[in-house]
Amino acid sequence: MKNKYRKVGLDYDLIIDKFPNINEYEETVNAYLADEFFKDLEMMIDEEDYAMAKDATKGLYVLASELYLFPLYEKLLEIYEDLEYETYADLKQHHQDMIETYRRIRGVFNA
């Protein structure tokens, strides 16, 4: 069990301290990873709907933090900072990096 978490950069011991029932935790993570904003975010960026993208990203990174999905949290935070400071040059690359991290984590949780 610990190895699957470590494989994607998650701290199993930290997670189990906060979420003693690992099955409930995994159900919660799977529900989070099914959030439509992960799919919609690319469209928002492409359509330059930066205000909506910023709101969606903020909600996603707050939940990633609460669930101790720190690799995903960091990638979402990069997107949020691009949107917050209106530095759009790296936005698409940061989005792609986030999607790769998202897919790795999602693969481990079988979402």
Side-chain angles (χ1 to χ4, degrees):
M1 178 78 68
K2 285 185 180 186
N3 287 336
K4 89 175 190 178
Y5 284 76
R6 286 190 183 121
K7 180 179 175 183
V8 292
L10 303 179
D11 186 330
Y12 179 83
D13 295 325
L14 188 63
I15 290 168
I16 202 71
D17 281 346
K18 183 173 180 186
F19 302 96
N21 186 329
I22 201 68
N23 291 326
E24 284 182 18
Y25 172 76
E26 290 192 3
E27 286 178 26
T28 302
V29 169
N30 280 324
Y32 165 72
L33 294 172
D35 191 309
E36 290 296 317
F37 280 132
F38 283 110
K39 294 177 186 173
D40 296 343
L41 190 55
E42 183 175 18
M43 179 189 65
M44 292 174 205
I45 292 169
D46 288 343
E47 294 177 358
E48 297 181 2
D49 189 353
Y50 298 134
M52 186 64 158
K54 184 178 168 184
D55 288 344
T57 302
K58 184 175 184 178
L60 292 171
Y61 87 69
V62 167
L63 289 172
S65 174
E66 291 291 319
L67 293 170
Y68 293 2
L69 301 172
F70 294 127
L72 185 56
Y73 165 80
E74 291 170 359
K75 298 300 180 186
L76 287 162
L77 197 55
E78 287 176 350
I79 294 170
Y80 184 80
E81 288 173 349
D82 290 342
L83 295 165
E84 175 70 15
Y85 299 111
E86 299 179 5
T87 53
Y88 305 125
D90 296 326
L91 185 56
K92 288 194 180 206
Q93 182 59 53
H94 286 156
H95 177 264
Q96 184 59 38
D97 295 344
M98 182 275 295
I99 289 297
E100 289 172 15
T101 301
Y102 165 81
R103 287 182 180 149
R104 276 195 313 275
I105 291 173
R106 187 174 176 151
V108 166
F109 284 94
N110 302 315

